[in-house]
Amino acid sequence: MKKILLGISCAFLLGFSASAQVMSHSGIKNTVWTGFGNPFYGDFVYHGVIDTIQARVDVGQFTLEGMINWGAIANMTDNGNLDNFTFKITEKNPFYYHYNYDKYDYNRVGSGNTNSKGYNNAIQVNSLVIDPYYVNFLWHPFKNFDVGLGTKLNWKVGPAPGHGEWLWEDEAHVSQGGFSTAYNDILLSKDNIKFNYDIPGRQDVVGFVHYANKYAKTAIGARYYLETDTFNVQFGAAIPNGVNTDNMFINTGAQFGFKKFNLAVAYEGLFQKDGNFYAGASFGISQFYFDVYTAIDSIDFDNDDVHDMSYSIGAAMTINIEKARVLIRPEGSFNWFEEGNYTPAWYAGVTVNWGILKNLYLKGYTSFAAGSMDKRWKDSPDSDVRNYTGGFIYDVRPLIEFKLSDAHSFSAYVDLEWRTAFDGTVRNCWSTGAFWTYDFNASSKRKK
């Protein structure tokens, strides 16, 4: 357990694994989930089974990595009974189903469905879907240098707010307290660099700001990295998918640090306006590790008529109590906007990992978020508008995990969420499910 906690702490501190894309080692990983819940629309519903198959092969100077996400999607009757299953490659995942069920929501999300007070009543799900598959190909022409082409390279520098894990894995949780956002990590890397945040009144609780520390996602790129016992360095650049020579831009990232101190910067959309800037740092003192990070999105200081820039500053602390086999990580951020009429938003959360027994772990995440409001609402003679706030979100997600062996682990969780929209509308949801994860590490087998 001590080694596991130390490994987790180091991962938080360093902010990247030099050789990793999505999988950190050669081998096969299979994640199976089944679950049910009560999303925002409709009653109790069973969702079916989602299976995510990943594989990575390292041969000489080359690495090939891929994933397929498929499911036996449950179809329910109007009276809530199970009708049949549809087998298909899917972009859905357990976290998507926490908020939505296709029968009730799929045609509504993003289609302008509004309630009686005029805002979209569906939680934005663009940031919750995943690639139904990904493929990454890397060439390592010489030591510590990669040339990569892929749909999910995942090259990043420094720390930033996140979902805890990939959305298809058991520790995935709400990002930035659960703020509603139109941000899509896939689409942003393909077609544009401008981050358009949800503005107050368009969604229930808004305030999300994008952190641009992933400089290579769906892209072709190159990077140099070096990790030793005393220091690490990484710098790289990538051309996102969809860029053309008449509208050229690149993403860049760099990180440098020592064993317990790291600095990182990244820029998304170099040579274009509306780019996104990121900076972060990590440092450790004894059993305490600190992360600080900041973001500036849609940078365009020359345009006085359009106020669409957004800003964020955040921090996290990892506390590793080895004797008690406990890891605690509080985090939070403060987000604000160039538009002076929008008030700031903020969130605070905490992750806990406690080794109860040798192979039994109790984990959890909880957060509170306060959304942004428009100051002009208070100037309206409409009494309802005068009483509007930015809205609030409270999320609790306990999880228990049992590691049967190095390769097999089982976990179960429940996710409870309470949302109060800016106009006072209360919407709650819950979900629960179980995971079986099989992780075959081919590199460790070869070493034996």
Side-chain angles (χ1 to χ4, degrees), residues 30-266:
N30 191 69
T31 305
V32 182
W33 168 86
T34 185
F36 52 86
N38 198 147
F40 286 136
Y41 296 101
D43 299 320
F44 169 86
V45 63
Y46 173 61
H47 298 301
V49 179
I50 301 291
D51 186 57
T52 307
I53 306 171
Q54 302 167 258
R56 171 173 165 173
V57 178
D58 296 296
V59 181
Q61 295 183 339
F62 304 97
T63 295
L64 180 63
E65 178 187 41
M67 175 272 273
I68 294 178
N69 191 66
W70 70 278
I73 309 301
N75 298 308
M76 312 295 289
T77 62
D78 290 336
N79 58 8
N81 296 322
L82 178 63
D83 185 13
N84 56 56
F85 291 90
T86 299
F87 296 94
K88 64 178 182 178
I89 305 299
T90 179
E91 62 195 12
K92 306 301 189 300
N93 58 78
F95 203 70
Y96 172 92
Y97 280 122
H98 172 65
Y99 291 110
N100 298 280
Y101 170 52
D102 289 351
K103 183 175 180 60
Y104 296 97
D105 280 318
Y106 188 79
N107 293 327
R108 299 186 184 191
V109 174
S111 62
N113 174 61
T114 58
N115 65 5
S116 60
K117 296 182 179 179
Y119 70 93
N120 192 323
N121 202 35
I123 186 73
Q124 283 278 11
V125 298
N126 282 342
S127 62
L128 303 180
V129 298
I130 63 174
D131 315 75
Y133 62 88
Y134 68 74
V135 178
N136 294 324
F137 177 80
L138 284 92
W139 174 38
H140 320 286
F142 52 86
K143 187 176 180 179
N144 302 323
F145 185 79
D146 292 336
V147 177
L149 172 64
T151 60
K152 205 174 192 69
L153 287 176
N154 192 44
W155 293 356
K156 60 183 179 179
V157 292
H163 281 294
E165 280 189 350
W166 294 107
L167 292 178
W168 60 81
E169 297 191 336
D170 60 354
E171 291 187 11
H173 59 70
V174 298
S175 178
Q176 298 189 37
F179 288 135
S180 181
T181 173
Y183 167 69
N184 186 319
D185 190 61
I186 305 170
L187 292 179
L188 191 74
S189 64
K190 285 183 178 178
D191 303 318
N192 65 85
I193 56 172
K194 182 169 180 165
F195 168 65
N196 294 305
Y197 54 84
D198 279 333
I199 66 175
R202 296 285 181 87
Q203 295 292 334
D204 61 349
V205 186
V206 304
F208 184 93
V209 171
H210 161 58
Y211 277 76
N213 68 319
K214 285 187 181 180
Y215 64 91
K217 290 169 282 193
T218 303
I220 180 171
R223 66 174 178 177
Y224 175 81
Y225 59 88
L226 178 64
E227 288 186 74
T228 70
D229 293 337
T230 56
F231 75 94
N232 70 84
V233 62
Q234 177 185 184
F235 54 88
I239 302 174
N241 185 46
V243 172
N244 62 63
T245 55
D246 291 332
N247 190 28
M248 188 68 182
F249 65 86
I250 62 173
N251 299 338
T252 60
Q255 177 168 302
F256 175 79
F258 300 96
K259 187 174 183 179
K260 292 187 176 182
F261 181 78
N262 289 271
L263 292 173
V265 294

Side-chain angles (χ1 to χ4, degrees), residues 4 25 31 76 148 237 285 326 416 433:
I4 293 174
H25 55 78
T31 305
M76 312 295 289
I285 302 173
V326 173
L416 309 172

Side-chain angles (χ1 to χ4, degrees), residues 429-445:
C429 69
W430 64 269
S431 64
T432 186
F435 289 85
W436 165 48
T437 301
Y438 170 75
D439 190 348
F440 173 76
N441 189 334
S443 57
S444 66
K445 300 299 181 183

Side-chain angles (χ1 to χ4, degrees), residues 307-329:
H307 298 158
D308 56 1
M309 293 174 60
S310 57
Y311 313 84
S312 180
I313 184 169
M317 177 174 63
T318 302
I319 306 167
N320 187 355
I321 309 174
E322 293 183 1
K323 291 184 178 180
R325 300 191 300 179
V326 173
L327 185 145
I328 304 173
R329 182 174 170 82

